Amino acid sequence: MIKTFRTRQICFFYISLLPVVKFFTMPSVLAGICGEDLWISALFNCLADFLTISVLYFCLRCENADFFTLIKEKFGTALSKTVIAFYTAFFLLKTVIPLCEEKDYVELTLYMTSPSVFTFMPVFSAIFFICLKKSRVIGRIADGVFFIAVAGYAFTFALSLSDTDLSAILPVGAHGLKSLSLGAYSSATWFNDGAYFLFFVGNFVKSKKDGLKILFSVALSSLLVLFFLVVFYGTFNSIAFRQRFALTEISKYTTAINNMERFDYIPVFALLFTSVFSLALPFYFACELSARLFNIKRFVAAVFACAPTAIFLIFFDEYFSTAENFILNIASGYFIFFGTVFPVVMAVIIKIRADKEKKYAVCEN
């Protein structure tokens, strides 16, 4: 079997593509729920993602197929189709908030006058184009944007640190476990990145110390998000929940910018460029799964994946707050189950079953 990905590409995928989608409205949402403890709520989700990917890797590292193919081989087509249907819905739901928040970000912060609703639509051309490509495109995107993303992170943090009051996040845990749990639950839509690893497991070229490299990249990705949240709250303190778009706000009060111009837009645009590819990820994997589920051509699957959100943005944009409340307050349980619980349980079951099959094979010989 020809492997689609390389370990390097998986590492770059988690470091460059996944943190940036958490830099728009998630910080203000968390700040509104649990104040200075926002980073602890995010930490819960980061640990869940790390656990999920660890279990998937160590249980399925000897397999030669992705998660969905393994389910088909070991449990039959019926269960496989059912699982694929649930994950298609998972990734379609995962497209809504990141896309809407970036659309609002671009329209409300980068334009002097109110733009048309169609201003953001060209982004769908890029997303649709990516959806038409084979799986190798994900690895190539990770390779291509890695240095741009890292430069954006470094420049943004460097500009922000001078105005950050780290004591603002103290005392730790002041809001109590209930608020921390609610924050972790409500922010689940931005996390549960272990679901992406379902496509990587068994489908990358093995090299030395794969597990260490992949888990290190996942940990680094989490640290970037946590550090961003700490810097964000350290900059705005008790009014952090009012700063809707953290990516722009976090560095705007830097002394150098006040004395010169807003050159912080250089890393902002670098991260915006990266975020376009990040936005495409749930669309791409929804397209991949719908093609398998309905046995349709890639073009039709791409239309199926992109059309619902495009229609929502054009005709029902005024209902975004309703959709956001539904996803944050209700659908978060769906993300947690299929992003963490189900993959972990199924990986352990597949591992146990594979060990039994090997044992029986040895006994028969």
Side-chain angles (χ1 to χ4, degrees):
M1 176 182 175
I2 299 177
K3 306 293 185 179
T4 304
F5 305 101
R6 296 184 178 276
T7 304
R8 177 196 71 250
Q9 293 173 330
I10 296 174
C11 294
F12 286 177
F13 174 91
Y14 277 97
I15 294 172
S16 60
L17 292 174
L18 296 187
V20 66
V21 294
K22 304 175 179 69
F23 289 176
F24 291 91
T25 63
M26 188 194 75
S28 62
V29 170
L30 280 177
I33 296 173
C34 45
E36 65 268 27
D37 292 329
L38 76 170
W39 67 274
I40 303 177
S41 290
L43 178 61
F44 289 163
N45 283 316
C46 290
L47 291 175
D49 285 346
F50 188 85
L51 172 65
T52 303
I53 295 169
S54 299
V55 172
L56 286 170
Y57 175 80
F58 288 109
C59 287
L60 306 179
R61 58 182 171 178
C62 296
E63 302 292 344
N64 289 311
D66 64 52
F67 181 78
F68 304 101
T69 304
L70 287 174
I71 291 180
K72 182 178 180 180
E73 291 176 351
K74 298 183 181 298
F75 301 100
T77 302
L79 180 60
S80 173
K81 291 286 187 180
T82 303
V83 171
I84 288 174
F86 279 115
Y87 274 98
T88 301
F90 175 94
F91 285 109
L92 287 175
L93 280 172
K94 203 169 176 64
T95 66
V96 178
I97 287 185
L99 190 72
C100 289
E101 67 185 5
E102 183 154 345
K103 169 184 172 293
D104 287 347
Y105 174 85
V106 170
E107 292 180 351
L108 297 176
T109 64
L110 301 183
Y111 286 87
M112 296 298 294
T113 58
S114 179
S116 165
V117 68
F118 294 99
T119 303
F120 192 71
M121 288 299 108
V123 172
F124 275 94
S125 299
I127 293 174
F128 186 79
F129 178 77
I130 293 172
C131 287
L132 294 177
K133 300 299 180 179
K134 294 182 179 180
S135 299
R136 291 183 183 276
V137 72
I138 299 300
R140 290 169 180 166
I141 287 172
D143 280 335
V145 303
F146 177 73
F147 292 105
I148 296 174
V150 170
Y153 297 147
F155 201 171
T156 298
F157 290 143
L159 288 174
S160 307
L161 281 175
S162 62
D163 295 306
T164 302
D165 178 15
L166 295 180
S167 65
I169 65 171
L170 300 175
V172 175
H175 285 259
L177 184 60
K178 183 177 180 180
S179 294
L180 295 177
S181 300
L182 179 60
Y185 178 83
S186 298
S187 60
T189 182
W190 287 284
F191 291 93
N192 288 284
D193 296 329
Y196 292 120
F197 199 72
L198 299 177
F199 296 88
F200 299 146
V201 64
N203 200 20
F204 61 92
V205 179
K206 304 271 192 313
S207 60
K208 292 183 178 180
K209 299 182 180 179
D210 284 325
L212 181 62
K213 295 174 184 176
I214 292 172
L215 294 179
F216 174 79
S217 66
V218 174
L220 181 57
S221 174
S222 298
L223 287 174
L224 286 171
V225 175
L226 295 175
F227 187 64
F228 184 89
L229 292 174
V230 169
V231 171
F232 172 71
Y233 197 86
T235 301
F236 294 102
N237 298 342
S238 59
I239 63 169
F241 70 96
R242 298 178 184 174
Q243 312 304 315
R244 186 180 179 191
F245 300 118
L247 181 60
T248 302
E249 303 296 334
I250 196 172
S251 58
K252 68 186 295 184
Y253 298 112
T254 301
T255 303
I257 292 176
N258 292 332
N259 294 333
M260 299 169 63
E261 295 291 341
R262 291 212 60 185
F263 59 84
D264 62 317
Y265 272 114
I266 296 174
V268 166
F269 283 131
L271 294 178
L272 279 176
F273 175 77
T274 304
S275 70
V276 172
F277 298 102
S278 302
L279 286 175
L281 296 177
F283 286 99
Y284 182 86
F285 291 116
C287 172
E288 177 74 21
L289 291 176
S290 60
R292 298 189 194 188
L293 179 63
F294 301 113
N295 195 24
I296 54 180
K297 293 183 178 180
R298 191 87 191 182
F299 181 87
V300 179
V303 173
F304 176 83
C306 296
T309 312
I311 293 172
F312 178 79
L313 287 181
I314 294 174
F315 298 105
F316 304 101
D317 188 41
E318 65 270 24
Y319 298 107
F320 170 64
S321 59
T322 302
E324 182 182 38
N325 289 332
F326 170 78
I327 291 174
L328 296 183
N329 299 321
I330 299 175
S332 291
Y334 190 88
F335 289 118
I336 293 170
F337 181 79
F338 285 102
T340 300
V341 179
F342 185 80
V344 168
V345 172
M346 286 302 297
V348 172
I349 292 173
I350 291 173
K351 174 64 174 174
I352 293 173
R353 186 163 180 168
D355 289 343
K356 287 183 177 180
E357 290 174 354
K358 288 180 180 179
K359 184 178 179 179
Y360 292 147
V362 171
C363 291
E364 288 177 359
N365 292 332

